[in-house]
């Protein structure tokens, strides 16, 4: 086993870190305060290849690995968790089209997705089906050479703003085998959006309900065959879980570095905070948990890249551990700042708010335990 990054991976990491330092970190507080979605900055990230990280080169993608993507998203999240997390969603939706879509569909959308001329959203969750995703009720009824979509999707990042929506809809029998994946363009008659959600964190990206009222979409916009959509969605979530875990690593690394620097500046009882052994131990534990999480995420990414039969289990393990550890590290960093950590003049309260949702989305951490146990007993 070799835990060192290759020269190419270090170059990718340095490019992402430089972008985060120059474009994300200086604006993060303002974007959060103003609830501003920085599409112009996202398109700058796309110029570096970060909008199509594991998309084929023939359609403008970077054709990198899941491990490469993890390195990128960790580095970007050091500058802004919310913006980096949106990029993960865009990449996941684009990947579904790239991996399972027809050549016509790939060439129709991916060249503009990899530049972020078009921005994409992933639509699985519904108001009545969250963890029980296979119970989704949005329907796509075949009518000649079109599907007619009816229903709603909830908590959709990019809702109302994105140009494309990769929608999981029921085209057949109840359960997972009756679900298909269909690309719906913004502006299609009958497509509408709810009000922007008022969230605890992730304020630098929009979130809204997506509604379908007799929305007609050509059959050619289906990704893969009928009834395959749920399988595609779950495969997409393996990578999505690694991506969001990587964003937790980046946010937590920033929090740890911020706390460590503060401990060398702040004095109490005539000594630097860094001189108190109890606080040294806290920093040591935070660093250890973060490093353990990083190793788990990269192990799972390697498994996914190599199509390891246990990749789904490893991805669930990594997502559960890294998002729990990432939130805890950020929360402990805030605690080390005392009352200052609770103020918006300091960045830690924002990082804590942004990281909290990672324990919920891409499958809650309770569902991660279900997946892990199921895979274990299946062996």
């Amino acid at each position: 086993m070799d835990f060192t990054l290759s020269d190419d991976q270090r170059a990718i990491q340095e490019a992402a870190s430089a972008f985060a330092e120059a474009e994300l970190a200086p604006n993060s507080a303002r974007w959060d305060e103003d609830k501003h979605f920085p599409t112009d900055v996202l398109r700058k990230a796309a110029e570096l290849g970060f909008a199509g990280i594991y998309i084929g080169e023939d359609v403008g993608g970077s054709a990198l690995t899941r491990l490469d993507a993890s390195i990128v998203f960790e580095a970007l999240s050091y500058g802004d968790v919310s913006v980096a997390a949106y990029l993960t969603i865009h990449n996941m939706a684009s990947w579904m089209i790239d991996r399972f879509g027809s050549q016509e569909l790939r060439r129709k959308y991916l060249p503009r997705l990899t530049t972020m001329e078009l921005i994409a959203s992933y639509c699985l969750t519904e108001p009545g089906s969250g963890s029980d995703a296979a119970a989704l009720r949005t329907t796509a009824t075949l009518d000649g050479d079109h599907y007619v979509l009816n229903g709603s999707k909830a908590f959709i990042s990019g809702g109302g703003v994105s140009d494309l929506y990769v929608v999981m809809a029921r085209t057949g029998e109840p359960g997972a085998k009756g679900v298909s994946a269909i690309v719906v363009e913004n502006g299609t008659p009958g497509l509408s959006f709810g009000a922007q959600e008022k969230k605890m964190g992730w304020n630098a990206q929009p979130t809204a309900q997506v509604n379908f009222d007799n929305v007609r979409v050509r059959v050619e916009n289906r990704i893969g065959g009928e009834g395959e959509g749920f399988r595609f969605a779950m495969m997409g979530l393996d990578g999505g879980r690694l991506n969001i875990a990587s964003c937790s690593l980046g946010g937590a690394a920033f929090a740890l570095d911020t706390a460590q620097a503060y401990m060398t500046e702040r004095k109490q009882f005539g000594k630097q905070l860094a001189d108190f052994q109890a606080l040294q131990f806290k920093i040591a534990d935070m660093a250890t948990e973060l490093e353990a999480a990083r190793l788990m995420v990269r192990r799972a990414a390697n498994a996914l890249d190599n199509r390891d039969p246990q990749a789904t289990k490893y991805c669930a393990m990594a997502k559960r551990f890294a998002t729990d550890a990432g939130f805890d590290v950020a929360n402990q960093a805030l605690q080390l700042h005392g009352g200052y950590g609770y103020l918006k003049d300091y960045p830690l309260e924002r990082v804590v708010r942004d990281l909290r949702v990672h324990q919920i989305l891409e499958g809650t951490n309770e569902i991660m335990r279900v997946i892990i146990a199921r895979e274990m007993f299946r062996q």
Side-chain angles (χ1 to χ4, degrees):
M1 292 181 288
D2 185 359
F3 296 102
T4 59
L5 300 183
S6 68
D7 289 343
D8 286 345
Q9 287 168 334
R10 280 195 294 271
I12 292 166
Q13 184 180 54
E14 289 169 4
S17 293
F19 183 85
E21 182 179 4
E23 300 286 349
L24 303 184
N27 300 301
S28 189
R30 176 173 59 85
W31 292 338
D32 176 75
E33 183 71 23
D34 297 343
K35 298 178 173 56
H36 174 68
F37 186 43
T39 53
D40 55 334
V41 176
L42 287 170
R43 291 188 175 110
K44 288 183 181 179
E47 292 174 5
L48 297 175
F50 297 155
I53 298 174
Y54 36 84
I55 306 302
E57 291 179 305
D58 64 313
V59 285
S62 301
L64 299 177
T65 67
R66 296 292 184 158
L67 179 54
D68 297 330
S70 175
I71 293 165
V72 168
F73 291 131
E74 178 178 353
L76 293 177
S77 293
Y78 194 95
D80 190 297
V81 172
S82 178
V83 173
Y86 190 84
L87 267 178
T88 74
I89 295 165
H90 176 88
N91 271 270
M92 180 168 65
S94 299
W95 174 82
M96 287 185 65
I97 297 172
D98 185 47
R99 175 74 183 275
F100 304 111
S102 66
Q103 288 302 317
E104 292 75 18
L105 202 63
R106 292 179 72 249
R107 294 195 171 95
K108 181 179 180 181
Y109 292 124
L110 287 170
R112 290 182 291 163
L113 287 169
T114 53
T115 62
M116 292 198 87
E117 176 189 342
L118 298 179
I119 296 173
S121 289
Y122 173 91
C123 301
L124 175 63
T125 299
E126 297 186 358
S129 61
S131 293
D132 186 12
L136 64 86
R137 299 177 64 182
T138 295
T139 59
T141 305
L142 192 60
D143 180 23
D145 59 358
H146 285 74
Y147 284 109
V148 181
L149 278 71
N150 284 282
S152 295
K153 297 292 179 178
F155 306 121
I156 302 305
S157 290
V161 176
S162 289
D163 304 288
L164 297 180
Y165 298 86
V166 176
V167 181
M168 268 49 72
R170 188 162 304 286
T171 53
E173 63 187 82
K177 293 182 179 180
V179 176
S180 300
I182 301 168
V183 180
V184 180
E185 296 185 11
N186 200 348
T188 304
L191 179 67
S192 64
F193 308 96
Q196 289 297 314
E197 303 289 0
K198 298 175 181 178
K199 298 170 294 186
M200 174 180 172
W202 272 25
N203 288 322
Q205 56 167 281
T207 304
Q209 186 163 305
V210 179
N211 304 308
F212 307 92
D213 181 11
N214 290 323
V215 173
R216 295 182 65 84
V217 180
R218 294 187 65 84
V219 170
E220 287 81 0
N221 271 31
R222 188 186 67 222
I223 300 173
E226 273 204 2
E228 295 185 305
F230 193 79
R231 179 171 64 88
F232 299 162
M234 293 302 102
M235 292 175 70
L237 282 175
D238 278 345
R241 287 162 183 158
L242 289 181
N243 292 345
I244 214 63
S246 302
C247 290
S248 287
L249 297 178
F254 170 79
L256 177 59
D257 288 348
T258 302
Q260 187 175 352
Y262 181 77
M263 286 174 62
T264 64
E265 299 163 1
R266 174 75 167 167
K267 288 186 176 181
Q268 291 287 275
F269 305 103
K271 296 193 298 183
Q272 290 183 345
L273 295 186
D275 292 331
F276 290 92
Q277 191 177 64
L279 302 186
Q280 293 174 2
F281 284 3
K282 187 179 290 290
I283 285 286
D285 285 344
M286 292 160 66
T288 302
E289 292 297 304
L290 179 57
E291 185 63 19
R294 182 177 291 113
L295 290 172
M296 286 192 72
V297 171
R298 293 183 179 178
R299 167 71 176 87
N302 184 69
L304 198 59
D305 283 328
N306 290 292
R307 303 196 178 185
D308 188 318
Q310 298 189 75
T312 292
K313 181 182 73 174
Y314 290 140
C315 289
M317 286 178 166
K319 192 272 181 182
R320 201 289 298 166
F321 189 85
T323 57
D324 282 348
F327 177 76
D328 186 61
V329 166
N331 195 41
Q332 293 293 340
L334 187 153
Q335 185 73 16
L336 286 167
H337 277 67
Y340 290 111
Y342 203 65
L343 301 180
K344 289 195 173 184
D345 300 292
Y346 289 74
L348 289 176
E349 61 83 29
R350 181 178 69 254
V351 175
V352 168
R353 287 187 287 107
D354 283 343
L355 290 186
R356 180 59 182 88
V357 74
H358 294 191
Q359 296 169 291
I360 298 171
L361 50 79
E362 310 290 30
T364 66
N365 285 0
E366 290 74 21
I367 290 297
M368 295 306 98
R369 292 173 170 89
V370 171
I371 292 169
I372 294 162
R374 182 184 65 206
E375 293 296 319
M376 289 176 67
F377 283 106
R378 179 181 294 167
Q379 293 170 14

